[in-house]
Amino acid sequence: KGGYVSMAKRYQEYCKENSFYRTLADKGKELPAVNQMIGAPIIWIQDHGDPNQIVKIAEQMKNDGIDKAIIEVGHAHYSRTPGLEKEALQMESVIQRVRDMSYVVSKYDQYRECAEKDENGHFWEQVNTDAFPDACLRQESGELRQGWPPLFLMNLECGLELAKKHIPADLKRYAYNARFIDCIGTCVIWEGEDWDP
C-alpha cells in the first residue's frame, strides 16, 4: 500500500534491520565520485573516431561553467575492432585527462543480454559473447529467449559472474570512476524466467 515511496521506505527499514543500510553521505566518504555525481548531468559523448574530441568537449563544458558532470564515454568499439589499437591507447590518457577536470568518467555496460560471437558483427551487438549459449535463458520449448535482436537474454546470476570478470579487467586499463550498468532493473517478469535446469 502507498506506492513507490512506501516501498522505498520499507526497503530502507529492511536494510537497517539487516545491517547493510548506508546513506549517500556514507558512500561519499568511501568513494568521492558519489559526491561528484549528486546533481550532475549525464553527458554522452560519441567521439566518431578521434578520442581527443572527448577532451575538447569536456574543456568546453568546463569553460562554459559546467563544474559537475558524468561523462559517458562511447568508445567500447576500440578494444574490439581490429585496426583501432591506436585509438584504444589514446583513450587511456583521454579518460584520465577528463577525470583531472573533476568530471566523473563512466562506461556503458550491460549484463542482461549476450550474443553469439561474430567477427563481422557490429560492436554493440558483440556483448557478453563469452556467455553464449550456456548462460542464455530458455523457454519451455528449450529455445533461447530472444532479447534485442540479434541478442539473447541471459540468466542474471551468470551476468553477475561476467561483471566480476569483465569490470576488474577493464579497470586495469581505463581509469573509469563510474559505470552505467543498463537494463537489469528494467526486466519484466517473463524475462526472468529460466527453464534451463
Side-chain angles (χ1 to χ4, degrees):
K1 292 181 182 179
Y4 292 112
V5 172
S6 294
M7 285 193 294
K9 287 180 178 177
R10 177 61 194 108
Y11 185 66
Q12 187 179 64
E13 288 171 26
Y14 170 79
C15 291
K16 287 178 181 176
E17 289 164 9
N18 290 280
S19 304
F20 58 86
Y21 173 76
R22 291 187 319 155
T23 64
L24 277 177
D26 294 335
K27 291 178 185 178
K29 286 175 192 168
E30 291 174 36
L31 188 64
V34 170
N35 297 325
Q36 287 175 272
M37 288 190 280
I38 296 172
I42 300 174
I43 312 292
W44 289 67
I45 301 178
Q46 301 293 329
D47 58 68
H48 304 290
D50 179 8
N52 289 306
Q53 286 180 358
I54 296 168
V55 176
K56 290 174 188 166
I57 292 169
E59 286 171 342
Q60 183 179 342
M61 288 168 51
K62 209 54 149 164
N63 290 336
D64 289 343
I66 300 171
D67 292 322
K68 269 179 132 175
I70 302 162
I71 308 285
E72 191 70 36
V73 184
H75 79 287
H77 57 291
Y78 291 144
S79 56
R80 290 189 232 151
T81 307
L84 293 179
E85 294 81 7
K86 184 181 109 191
E87 288 83 352
L89 252 162
Q90 283 179 302
M91 280 308 298
E92 293 177 30
S93 68
V94 163
I95 289 169
Q96 190 56 59
R97 286 162 63 197
V98 174
R99 278 193 61 177
D100 290 345
M101 293 180 220
S102 299
Y103 290 133
V104 173
V105 183
S106 175
K107 177 186 176 181
Y108 176 90
D109 206 356
Q110 65 103 332
Y111 295 97
R112 174 182 171 252
E113 296 172 312
C114 62
E116 187 170 10
K117 192 162 185 63
D118 178 0
E119 296 298 330
N120 299 313
H122 190 273
F123 65 91
W124 286 120
E125 296 168 353
Q126 290 297 289
V127 295
N128 303 317
T129 54
D130 46 344
F132 184 88
D134 297 335
C136 291
L137 297 186
R138 296 183 183 274
Q139 301 182 105
E140 256 182 307
S141 65
E143 289 180 61
L144 302 182
R145 184 167 301 270
Q146 187 76 53
W148 189 271
L151 307 176
F152 296 91
L153 295 176
M154 57 186 227
N155 181 303
L156 295 182
E157 286 185 19
C158 296
L160 179 59
E161 292 309 309
L162 283 175
K164 287 177 179 178
K165 181 174 120 185
H166 292 178
I167 294 172
D170 207 23
L171 290 175
K172 282 181 184 172
R173 181 166 193 184
Y174 299 112
Y176 300 111
N177 53 348
R179 200 165 196 99
F180 175 56
I181 299 181
D182 198 8
C183 302
I184 302 302
T186 62
C187 294
V188 292
I189 295 296
W190 65 264
E191 289 186 359
E193 294 172 350
D194 188 358
W195 298 101
D196 188 334

